Amino acid sequence: MSVARRIAQNAAALALSQGVSLVLNFVTWAYLARTLAPEGFGVIGFGTALLAYFVVAIQLGFDAVAIRESARDPARLRVLAGQVTALRMTLGVAALVVYAIVVLALPRPPVFKATLAVLGLQLVVVATRLNWTFQAAEQMRPVAVRDAAVAVLNAAVVFLLVRRPDQLVLAAALTAGVPLLGNAWLLAAYRARFGALRLAFDRVAWGALLRPAIPLAASAFLIEIYIRLDQVMLEFLSSTETVGLYSAAARFSALSQLPANVAFSAFFPAVAAALGSSELMRARGRMLSHVLLPIGAAIAAAGPWLARDTLVFAYGEAYAPAGPAFALLLVTAGVVHLNMAVGLPLLAWDRQTPYMWAVLSGAVVNVVLNVVLIPPFGILGAAGATLVAQVAVGAVTSWQYRALTGTLPFGSYGSLLLVAGASSAVAALGTTQGWPILVSGPLVVATAAGVAWSLGLVDVASLQGGAAEAPAGTETEAATEP
């Protein structure tokens, strides 16, 4: 099977699964936002933001390292799975202890602390997750089934059991506990395909994993600074209610980043396997960018027109004040797609340390701007800081990508402007004419897709056909069907 066809199949499975998951998760969180009100929703938003830093301490970039190594030598997958899982479980215990101490030390009411404590189950979820093993083997269907099933079950129990604003602890328990069932199912799927998972508490092997993972972990921590720090700072510089407003907007903007998430999972093994062939590296980079950039351009251009109406439709009038901040976050989502087009290849090609410095630039910008902008502008200042930080990261990673490959994978700038202009025009028309969001939103998507296809930005033949992007003789064994 060709690389392009395999990527297309994995991307299709992930797109369907993550589409279902993100939509259901969005509906679930929208229901919680309405039921718990901005202040209650802000407690969960703050807890989730705080947890993100402890999640980084467990993940430590092992997914990217293990996937990269397995893509180049598939025979190592089972050994790496045992080593990574054992190390993550060890780190998970330590993270839980430190997290509990931090929660107890917070000067907040008992219900606030109890909600955060229950949310700590998410650390167990991260420590026992095996998604990366299927990604490394380019067998994404079990992960797709797991993610969709968790989203369905989570939505069902939340809608059934959470009915009042005072059910914060129950809401936290359901949203953090249901994914554990999904992890158990994925463990069974792993056993069926690869054999029993044998934990390996090997300090020498752990050291070999840690050396390349530390720059990735530092990058992930820095990314969390400019993704989550604003919510943490809003809690202390503003109020829990503003955290709730901002969290609602941030969760919705994550829905627009589905293509970037799918591309990371589907493309990473093939991009990693291209290392060593300059021509193949550039070809795989172009394939990735041709998927991401038209979508990012449409989101950044059309999103601000639809931001307020979308929030009100989803969460109710109580969340209308977050409209301007959400508009900026949608522009940021467009920038994220560009950043992914140049950042993911850097990680795949062992450039994790330069990537870390790029992310550090964004984190520094974000911290400084959050301190300056949140006190006078609240959530609008937090969103603006995130946007500027992502632009900074994009500028540095683009420079690094060009230095490595001799080119940028962006293609025709004029064509991307046409996609952005057409999307923006349709969104503006819908807003000024008062069209329902369920009408204007799909019209924007259809317009962007039609313009991108007509301009040849999305090479459907390449994704469906053979490995035309691969020069003869450049395929590596690690990139063949396992």
Side-chain angles (χ1 to χ4, degrees):
M1 180 185 295
S2 71
V3 173
R5 187 179 296 276
R6 186 167 66 248
I7 289 175
Q9 289 184 354
N10 282 323
L14 284 172
L16 178 61
S17 169
Q18 292 197 18
V20 171
S21 300
L22 283 176
V23 170
L24 283 177
N25 287 337
F26 162 70
V27 172
T28 302
W29 285 105
Y31 174 79
L32 286 175
R34 287 175 176 265
T35 303
L36 302 178
E39 185 169 0
F41 194 64
V43 175
I44 292 182
F46 173 78
T48 303
L50 180 63
L51 269 171
Y53 299 101
F54 293 89
V55 167
V56 171
I58 299 174
Q59 290 180 331
L60 279 183
F62 295 137
D63 282 8
V65 172
I67 291 171
R68 199 168 62 195
E69 296 303 315
S70 298
R72 297 168 188 167
D73 183 5
R76 295 191 62 200
L77 175 61
R78 291 184 62 188
V79 174
L80 287 167
Q83 295 169 351
V84 169
T85 305
L87 180 52
R88 275 189 170 164
M89 291 174 65
T90 303
L91 293 171
V93 172
L96 274 171
V97 172
V98 177
Y99 177 74
I101 294 173
V102 171
V103 169
L104 288 174
L106 287 174
R108 291 294 183 270
V111 173
F112 192 108
K113 293 184 177 182
T115 303
L116 265 60
V118 173
L119 284 173
L121 285 172
Q122 293 181 17
L123 298 179
V124 181
V125 174
V126 174
T128 57
R129 195 160 50 199
L130 289 171
N131 297 40
W132 73 266
T133 59
F134 295 91
Q135 184 181 346
E138 298 188 79
Q139 299 179 26
M140 296 304 300
R141 289 184 182 178
V143 176
V145 171
R146 181 262 184 200
D147 291 346
V150 166
V152 170
L153 181 59
N154 190 47
V157 296
V158 166
F159 275 87
L160 181 65
L161 300 176
V162 181
R163 300 295 183 88
R164 304 188 310 273
D166 61 349
Q167 293 180 303
L168 275 174
V169 176
L170 176 61
L174 295 176
T175 56
V178 170
L180 283 173
L181 299 177
N183 282 7
W185 181 87
L186 205 58
L187 175 61
Y190 175 93
R191 183 183 181 89
R193 284 166 173 77
F194 309 114
L197 177 65
R198 302 186 184 280
L199 300 180
F201 294 87
D202 185 339
R203 287 182 293 178
V204 175
W206 287 0
L209 287 169
L210 282 168
R211 281 190 291 273
I214 286 175
L216 293 172
S219 299
F221 182 81
L222 294 169
I223 288 172
E224 292 300 338
I225 285 179
Y226 63 75
I227 291 178
R228 309 282 188 176
L229 183 65
D230 40 20
Q231 296 177 55
V232 175
M233 294 183 68
L234 281 167
E235 172 66 29
F236 295 106
L237 297 178
S238 184
S239 67
T240 304
E241 182 178 359
T242 60
V243 177
L245 293 172
Y246 191 79
S247 296
R251 286 191 176 277
F252 209 147
S253 70
L255 190 65
S256 67
Q257 296 177 26
L258 170 63
N261 296 331
V262 171
F264 181 88
S265 298
F267 279 82
F268 193 86
V271 175
L275 182 64
S277 168
S278 298
E279 188 176 354
L280 188 56
M281 289 164 66
R282 288 191 291 267
R284 298 270 171 88
R286 285 194 301 271
M287 179 182 284
L288 174 63
S289 68
H290 286 178
V291 172
L292 291 179
L293 296 184
I295 301 171
I299 293 171
W305 290 101
L306 307 176
R308 185 189 183 281
D309 291 344
T310 303
L311 275 185
V312 171
F313 170 79
Y315 300 122
E317 284 289 342
Y319 290 85
F326 183 41
L328 286 179
L329 289 176
L330 288 174
V331 175
T332 303
V335 176
V336 166
H337 284 75
L338 182 149
N339 291 356
M340 184 73 78
V342 290
L344 184 150
L346 291 176
L347 294 178
W349 298 331
D350 299 350
R351 298 309 193 269
Q352 56 265 20
T353 300
Y355 181 79
M356 178 189 70
W357 291 114
V359 175
L360 176 62
S361 68
V364 171
V365 169
N366 186 257
V367 170
V368 172
L369 290 182
N370 271 319
V371 172
V372 172
L373 297 179
I374 285 179
F377 300 110
I379 60 174
L380 189 61
T386 301
L387 173 58
V388 176
Q390 288 285 5
V391 170
V393 172
V396 178
T397 51
S398 295
W399 176 79
Q400 292 172 342
Y401 186 101
R402 185 181 180 88
L404 178 62
T405 65
T407 186
L408 288 174
F410 299 153
S412 170
Y413 298 99
S415 297
L416 291 174
L417 286 174
L418 286 174
V419 173
S423 304
S424 179
V426 173
L429 180 63
T431 300
T432 55
Q433 296 299 315
W435 296 348
I437 194 65
L438 291 179
V439 173
S440 55
L443 281 176
V444 168
V445 173
T447 300
V451 173
W453 178 81
S454 65
L455 295 173
L457 292 178
V458 180
D459 189 354
V460 178
S462 175
L463 293 175
Q464 291 180 343
E469 83 289 352
T474 58
E475 281 295 350
T476 64
E477 185 176 351
T480 60
E481 185 71 19

